[in-house]
């Protein structure tokens, strides 16, 4: 029996309130993305980050038999949420500081002018401070894909709009996918400086969305006649005053706004064993995310004999293939290790993960599976990685590709809600966090009207969510319904596109066919004319799937040694919630419609025919 008088005094008002509410409204409703739904005892929450470990957890809402029990449960739930929130904020702040410290290791020294008399370098006076407006009608925090997509969308709907993008990076907005893909395959020795690459179709392109001439200078933003987009580089927003509609930068400068977008992306996660290993290990570790990381790792790959990539997901596997190709022309040893049984083991079904692992090995990579890192140290000029099973790997450099932590440092000052399960700012279906604040990209935990609350970390989602946020900032009031796609290429010959929830713990059905020469990422880009496939993707309509709604046991995947091309369906409660198109390209509208319809299918072999995988 509960007898603590002090605790009872604190909870008695809550119990009385609960009792009153129970009498007034026996069937309560909850607000979920601006839609009122009946209260249920079980909700299925699904993560939008494949393989995050938080997918497909069941969360039960216990309704107490009495008002006192219900009050006690509510008290504990609120307290638990607050504790998880505080833990997440502290962890993110700690990681952000460590990433900043590590970044300083790779930053080149400031150039110094030479004294004409002695030819010795002399100190250069610091550059004059950049002037920028004290007010921006549209303020976008973050300089990545989501911000650029939002800026373009705002200008399309409001041609005279004045948009200010603030980014802590020194670069103008650029696309990140080539940093782990095409840039590594360039035969241009100056690619690190030009940041231009050849797409798989041979066409050359810059990683920057637009040249500098596209943008207005920050100091001219208020004066230019027809508005424009300005980018304030090298500045970090450290505080948000939501009531005052203004932000504070790290140099204590304040900028006010009418509408604000938070598109701060995330910071790469690191392994705690690396963080604790000391300075010698830290300065030999790359957390891959930005242009500076590409430049630093490119130099490392040419100056060292061995690189070990920790992580078997998208980024780790792409970098492993890229560096493996480079090792063919040098003495570089490339090692990839991860705890799963195969590459992308959290995303692909086991048979396809095994096939992918063999593909990575064929690129000259030494793949170590089921590798749990127990400790890291620096000994005799080498970084020594000790695995839990006793194996020891010696290397010159580590690349930690173990996921992304959304940047939500502004949540505390802004009073914005951070999702305790998936991370990121919690927003509604319109990507709105407050009346004049929106969130897009990696940092947004949004409500998907088909698949529930999610957070997605892919280029296409940044494009789509940024575009939608920009539209809604100009008054569109449109919900997020578009299922964003993502893709991964293991070089120019093997790639896949995916949509929805792709989690290897779900039941899957794979239908495969023999591939032809046109079934490669290289051929796909030659046909579409772009290397960033999601940019050419349209939201076109797809024909209805004429299949029976009577459920039937799904067929087993074809067990073939060579999975040339095919479609993999991911099922939840017999309904398709995710699709991977393996070496099948430009068919996303069909996949999107299948998921949007949310129907059971008697024969997924018939559904696979919609993708024309059996064409010669």
């Amino acid at each position: 029996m509960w007898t603590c008088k002090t605790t009872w005094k604190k909870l008695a008002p809550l119990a009385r309130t609960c009792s009153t509410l129970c009498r007034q409204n026996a069937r309560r409703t909850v607000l979920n993305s601006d839609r009122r739904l009946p209260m249920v005892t079980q909700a299925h929450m699904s993560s939008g980050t494949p393989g995050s470990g938080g997918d497909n957890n069941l969360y039960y809402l216990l309704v107490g038999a009495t008002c006192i029990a219900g009050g006690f449960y509510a008290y504990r739930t609120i307290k638990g949420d607050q504790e998880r929130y505080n833990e997440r904020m502290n962890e993110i702040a700690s990681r952000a500081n460590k990433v900043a410290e590590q970044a300083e290791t790779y930053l080149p020294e400031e150039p110094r002018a030479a004294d004409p008399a002695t030819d010795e370098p002399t100190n250069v006076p610091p550059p004059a401070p950049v002037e920028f407006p004290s007010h921006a009608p549209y303020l976008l925090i973050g300089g990545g894909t989501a911000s650029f997509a939002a800026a373009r969308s705002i200008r399309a709907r409001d041609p005279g709009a004045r948009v200010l993008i603030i980014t802590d990076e020194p670069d103008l907005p650029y696309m990140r996918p080539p940093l782990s893909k095409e840039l590594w395959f360039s035969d241009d020795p100056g690619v690190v400086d030009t940041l231009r690459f050849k797409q798989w179709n041979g066409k050359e392109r810059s990683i920057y969305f637009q040249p500098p001439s596209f943008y207005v200078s920050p100091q001219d933003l208020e004066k230019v006649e027809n508005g424009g987009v300005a980018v304030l580089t090298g500045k970090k927003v450290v505080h948000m005053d939501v009531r005052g509609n203004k932000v504070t930068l790290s140099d204590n400068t304040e900028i006010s706004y009418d509408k604000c977008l938070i598109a701060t992306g995330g910071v790469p996660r690191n392994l705690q064993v690396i963080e604790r290993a000391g300075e010698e290990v830290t300065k030999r570790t790359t957390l891959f995310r930005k242009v500076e990381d590409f430049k630093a790792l490119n130099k490392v790959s040419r100056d060292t004999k061995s690189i070990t990539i920790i992580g078997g997901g998208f980024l780790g596997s792409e970098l492993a293939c890229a560096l493996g190709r480079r090792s063919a022309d040098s003495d570089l040893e490339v090692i990839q290790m991860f705890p799963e049984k195969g590459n992308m083991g959290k995303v692909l079904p086991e048979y396809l993960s095994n096939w992918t692992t063999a593909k990575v090995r064929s690129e000259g990579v030494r793949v170590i599976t089921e590798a749990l890192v127990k400790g890291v140290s620096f000994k005799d000029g080498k970084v020594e990685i000790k695995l839990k099973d006793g194996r020891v790997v010696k290397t010159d450099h580590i690349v930690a590709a173990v996921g992304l932590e959304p940047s939500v440092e502004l949540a505390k000052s802004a009073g914005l809600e951070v999702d305790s399960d998936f991370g990121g700012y919690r927003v509604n279906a319109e990507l709105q966090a407050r009346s004049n604040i929106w969130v897009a990209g990696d940092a947004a935990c949004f409500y998907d009207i088909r698949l529930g609350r999610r957070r997605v970390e892919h280029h296409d989602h940044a494009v789509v969510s940024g575009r939608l946020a920009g539209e809604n900032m100009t008054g569109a009031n449109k919900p997020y319904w578009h299922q964003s796609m993502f893709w991964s290429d293991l070089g120019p010959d093997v790639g896949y596109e995916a949509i929805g929830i792709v989690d290897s713990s779900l039941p899957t059905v794979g239908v495969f066919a023999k591939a032809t020469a046109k079934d490669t990422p290289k051929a796909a880009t030659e046909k579409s004319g772009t290397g960033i496939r999601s940019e050419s993707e349209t939201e076109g309509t797809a024909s209805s799937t004429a299949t029976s709604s009577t459920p039937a046991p799904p067929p087993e995947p074809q067990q073939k040694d060579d999975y040339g091309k095919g479609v993999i369906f991911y099922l939840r409660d017999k309904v398709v919630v995710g699709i991977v198109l393996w070496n099948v390209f430009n068919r996303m509208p069909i996949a999107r419609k299948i998921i949007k319809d949310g129907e059971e299918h008697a024969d997924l072999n018939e559904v696979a025919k919609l993708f024309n995988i059996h064409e010669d």
Side-chain angles (χ1 to χ4, degrees), residues 351-423:
Y351 63 91
L352 204 53
S353 173
N354 293 338
W355 188 95
T356 305
T357 304
K359 166 65 178 175
V360 176
R361 283 179 172 143
S362 71
E363 296 289 347
V365 180
R366 177 188 168 195
V367 181
I368 304 176
T369 63
E370 299 180 273
L372 292 171
V373 179
K374 183 180 180 180
V376 182
S377 60
F378 183 73
K379 185 183 297 183
D380 299 328
K382 290 280 187 178
V383 176
E384 201 170 89
I385 304 171
K386 294 182 180 179
L387 303 182
K388 192 174 182 179
D389 60 8
R391 289 178 289 180
V392 176
V393 176
K394 295 182 180 181
T395 189
D396 295 318
H397 197 85
I398 291 175
V399 179
V402 292
L404 190 75
E405 188 69 35
S407 295
V408 292
E409 294 91 345
L410 295 175
K412 190 171 183 179
S413 62
L416 302 179
E417 182 181 4
V418 174
D419 191 272
S420 58
D421 296 312
F422 305 140

Side-chain angles (χ1 to χ4, degrees), residues 511-526:
V511 182
F512 291 86
K514 185 177 180 180
T516 66
K518 66 180 181 179
D519 300 314
T520 65
K522 183 177 185 295
T525 55
E526 287 174 348

Side-chain angles (χ1 to χ4, degrees), residues 456-471:
V456 180
E457 297 174 0
H458 293 289
H459 175 85
D460 187 58
H461 171 69
V463 172
V464 172
S465 63
R467 183 171 61 214
L468 177 64
E471 291 177 358

Side-chain angles (χ1 to χ4, degrees), residues 237-347:
V237 176
V238 297
H239 186 273
M240 284 191 73
D241 180 358
V242 175
R243 292 185 177 180
N245 290 343
K246 61 184 178 180
V247 300
T248 303
L249 308 185
S250 53
D251 60 2
N252 291 323
T253 303
E254 290 186 346
I255 301 177
S256 60
Y257 59 84
D258 295 329
K259 306 285 182 65
C260 180
L261 173 71
I262 300 175
T264 47
V267 295
R269 289 193 181 102
N270 198 358
L271 294 175
Q272 291 186 1
V273 290
I274 295 178
E275 293 175 344
R276 297 194 300 260
E279 182 182 355
E280 292 299 326
V281 170
T282 299
K283 69 183 183 182
R284 291 171 173 82
T285 300
T286 295
L287 302 179
F288 198 90
R289 177 68 173 170
K290 303 178 180 180
V291 167
E292 287 81 1
D293 303 325
F294 164 72
K295 292 180 177 181
L297 187 58
N298 180 73
K299 185 176 186 304
V300 167
S301 70
R302 300 186 186 281
D303 297 343
T304 61
K305 296 294 185 181
S306 173
I307 295 177
T308 297
I309 300 165
I310 301 178
F314 300 100
L315 178 61
S317 298
E318 289 170 0
L319 286 176
C321 284
L323 290 171
R325 284 282 182 98
R326 176 167 291 187
S327 70
D329 300 325
S330 65
D331 295 329
L332 178 66
E333 178 189 31
V334 181
I335 304 168
Q336 184 188 17
M337 61 173 61
F338 42 80
E340 296 80 33
K341 293 182 179 180
N343 283 78
M344 293 180 283
K346 291 183 178 180
V347 176

Side-chain angles (χ1 to χ4, degrees), residues 1-16 66-69 71-72 75:
M1 186 67 182
W2 197 23
T3 58
C4 179
K5 294 182 178 179
T6 302
T7 307
W8 170 245
K9 288 180 179 179
K10 293 180 180 179
L11 290 179
L14 179 62
R16 288 194 294 271
T66 67
C67 291
I68 293 178
F72 179 59
Y75 170 77

Side-chain angles (χ1 to χ4, degrees), residues 303-613:
D303 297 343
T304 61
K305 296 294 185 181
S306 173
I307 295 177
T308 297
I309 300 165
I310 301 178
F314 300 100
L315 178 61
S317 298
E318 289 170 0
L319 286 176
C321 284
L323 290 171
R325 284 282 182 98
R326 176 167 291 187
S327 70
D329 300 325
S330 65
D331 295 329
L332 178 66
E333 178 189 31
V334 181
I335 304 168
Q336 184 188 17
M337 61 173 61
F338 42 80
E340 296 80 33
K341 293 182 179 180
N343 283 78
M344 293 180 283
K346 291 183 178 180
V347 176
L348 300 177
E350 185 175 353
Y351 63 91
L352 204 53
S353 173
N354 293 338
W355 188 95
T356 305
T357 304
K359 166 65 178 175
V360 176
R361 283 179 172 143
S362 71
E363 296 289 347
V365 180
R366 177 188 168 195
V367 181
I368 304 176
T369 63
E370 299 180 273
L372 292 171
V373 179
K374 183 180 180 180
V376 182
S377 60
F378 183 73
K379 185 183 297 183
D380 299 328
K382 290 280 187 178
V383 176
E384 201 170 89
I385 304 171
K386 294 182 180 179
L387 303 182
K388 192 174 182 179
D389 60 8
R391 289 178 289 180
V392 176
V393 176
K394 295 182 180 181
T395 189
D396 295 318
H397 197 85
I398 291 175
V399 179
V402 292
L404 190 75
E405 188 69 35
S407 295
V408 292
E409 294 91 345
L410 295 175
K412 190 171 183 179
S413 62
L416 302 179
E417 182 181 4
V418 174
D419 191 272
S420 58
D421 296 312
F422 305 140
Y425 297 95
R426 195 176 175 93
V427 296
N428 62 15
E430 288 75 34
L431 303 180
Q432 199 169 24
R434 297 285 287 271
S435 60
N436 61 343
I437 298 177
W438 289 258
V439 187
D442 297 343
C445 182
F446 63 100
Y447 181 76
D448 184 321
I449 59 178
R450 170 55 60 186
L451 300 176
R453 189 152 295 277
R454 307 175 65 202
R455 192 176 65 79
V456 180
E457 297 174 0
H458 293 289
H459 175 85
D460 187 58
H461 171 69
V463 172
V464 172
S465 63
R467 183 171 61 214
L468 177 64
E471 291 177 358
N472 287 342
M473 291 173 79
T474 59
N477 297 320
K478 294 166 60 175
Y480 188 106
W481 63 268
H482 178 93
Q483 287 295 327
S484 63
M485 58 88 77
F486 57 93
W487 82 98
S488 181
D489 292 338
L490 303 178
D493 303 321
V494 177
Y496 64 87
E497 299 176 351
I499 191 171
I501 299 175
V502 288
D503 176 2
S504 60
S505 67
L506 291 172
T508 62
V509 175
V511 182
F512 291 86
K514 185 177 180 180
T516 66
K518 66 180 181 179
D519 300 314
T520 65
K522 183 177 185 295
T525 55
E526 287 174 348
K527 183 177 180 180
S528 67
T530 176
I532 306 300
R533 293 195 290 274
S534 62
E535 289 188 354
S536 64
E537 188 196 10
T538 63
E539 298 178 19
T541 59
S543 59
S544 299
T545 56
T547 57
S548 169
S549 60
T550 304
E556 292 296 321
Q558 290 179 246
Q559 294 299 328
K560 298 173 60 178
D561 293 333
D562 182 15
Y563 298 101
K565 62 178 178 180
V567 182
I568 302 96
F569 300 98
Y570 292 73
L571 307 175
R572 187 172 66 189
D573 299 329
K574 300 180 182 179
V575 174
V576 176
V577 295
I579 296 175
V580 166
L581 302 181
W582 184 263
N583 272 344
V584 176
F585 307 100
N586 304 316
R587 309 279 168 78
M588 270 297 130
I590 301 171
R592 181 169 291 111
K593 180 169 177 22
I594 292 171
I595 294 178
K596 183 180 179 181
D597 289 345
E599 299 175 354
E600 294 183 13
H601 299 283
D603 189 352
L604 288 172
N605 282 295
E606 291 297 315
V607 180
K609 291 180 181 179
L610 295 170
F611 296 92
N612 298 324
I613 64 172

